[in-house]
Amino acid sequence: MNRILTRWLLRLLAGLTLLIAVLAGAVYALTDHPRPVQAAELTCPASAPTLKAGQAVRVMSWNVQYLAGRGYVFFYDTLAGDGPDTRPSPASIARTLAEVTQAIRQEQPDVVLLQEVDRDSRRTDYADQLALIQARLDGAYPCSAATYYHRATFVPHPKIMGRVGLSLVTLSRYRMDSATRYQLPRICGDPVTVAFNFKRAVLGVTLPVQGGQPLSAFNTHMDAFAQGCATMQNQVNFIRDLLGRTAAPWVIGGDFNLLGTRAAYDRLRDREKAYFNPNTELATLTAKYASFPSPAQIASGNPAFITHYPNDPAVGKPDRTIDYYFYSPGLKHAAERVRQDTPKISDHYALLSTLTLP
């Protein structure tokens, strides 16, 4: 009897081991596995012009919310994760594509840093939004770089249940020599959830400068909903170290998902404070580098420096600054502005800045 029981337990254990191995293999096959540092997608014709020393370079940074537009409360837009919407309509995407590209044409930046660009995602009908944006800009930005930071063949989340492909995109009127993806530290959690979750990144491009040092332009979208672990501080520290070993001049822009000051935290309603720490992790960067908006501008409470208009109707207005530029020491920057569109185009406003190359 003991032999029969032992044999049965061994078979059960072998079956469970096989099942776990099959499930682990399925998770691995469905998800993306970028290296810590790897080449990013880069398209740039030899005919693209080259920047020159002393030239003014206008930069735009914008989280375009995968062209979803306004009028939605997505499931992740509320702290409880119970927003009613799971995807935008094709009509909303078409309207927002026109509005985003019109804003870019109006501002005429030389370099555009975009966050949340969908490419082959179920929620946006598997379109390549980079190609759609480029087509509407009529060749004004011949050079582009892109990298995914959330990609999976199938995400088994009840509000997703399909393919995802979310990207950082950098567009340029001028020649880019290289594009590199840097993997940010991962959010904490159980192995399966982490495997299907975002793999946040920094996209770095190098633009050669005739008669001067090349300009490095970094684009990022840091984690959110990272309460309970040190993810945000780890990601800030990673960016600090990356910038510290990058030769000047450089600029980084993007959606950092962090408040700039304690005063900004104190101004939020208690419900929204749950997303943030009272003593911001961003201080690691703001203490070392010039930024826009600066800590003083944010602490002033001037609404001109607010960059985020939450979709959550309980908020109902632009209420926080979480998008920034940081600049290498000595790099001249001017004409900084938050473009606050009415009605809003995305849940984030675009940031503009003009750099003067050494």
Side-chain angles (χ1 to χ4, degrees), residues 58-264:
R58 188 167 171 80
V59 183
M60 171 185 272
S61 177
W62 197 1
N63 180 331
V64 295
Q65 194 191 210
Y66 53 92
L67 305 180
R70 53 193 169 269
Y72 296 100
V73 183
F74 295 109
F75 64 92
Y76 53 80
D77 282 326
T78 62
L79 192 61
D82 57 358
D85 297 313
T86 58
R87 60 150 294 159
S89 71
S92 291
I93 296 170
R95 182 196 66 210
T96 310
L97 171 64
E99 291 175 342
V100 165
T101 51
Q102 181 183 21
I104 293 173
R105 287 194 299 269
Q106 288 174 345
E107 298 293 348
Q108 297 188 346
D110 299 302
V111 177
V112 186
L113 313 176
L114 298 178
Q115 303 90 46
E116 288 198 18
V117 177
D118 260 6
R119 307 180 75 191
D120 198 24
S121 288
R122 177 177 181 266
R123 67 184 173 187
T124 47
D125 303 314
Y126 307 102
D128 182 347
Q129 292 186 339
L130 168 56
L132 294 176
I133 291 169
Q134 286 280 60
R136 292 293 290 261
L137 293 173
D138 299 322
Y141 297 88
C143 297
S144 66
T147 191
Y148 289 100
Y149 62 102
H150 193 199
R151 181 165 63 165
T153 303
F154 184 87
V155 174
H157 187 288
K159 303 285 188 168
I160 301 175
M161 300 304 288
R163 182 184 292 272
V164 297
L166 190 65
S167 296
L168 299 167
V169 166
T170 297
L171 307 176
S172 176
R173 297 183 187 273
Y174 294 92
R175 186 158 67 91
M176 297 193 297
D177 273 350
S178 65
T180 306
R181 182 192 196 278
Y182 302 91
Q183 175 65 50
L184 286 170
R186 300 288 302 280
I187 198 168
C188 57
D190 67 86
V192 174
T193 300
V194 169
F196 283 103
N197 213 330
F198 289 78
K199 297 176 175 67
R200 305 279 182 166
V202 177
L203 172 61
V205 300
T206 303
L207 295 87
V209 176
Q210 185 177 338
Q213 295 298 312
L215 172 67
S216 296
F218 297 101
N219 182 4
T220 194
H221 185 183
M222 287 172 48
D223 253 308
F225 318 115
Q227 295 80 7
C229 59
T231 302
M232 303 308 289
Q233 189 64 65
N234 292 339
Q235 292 185 356
V236 168
N237 292 345
F238 180 95
I239 289 173
R240 177 201 61 199
D241 294 344
L242 173 62
L243 299 177
R245 62 178 184 267
T246 300
W250 54 255
V251 61
I252 183 170
D255 177 358
F256 287 74
N257 272 321
L258 287 171
L259 302 174
T261 66
R262 176 59 186 263

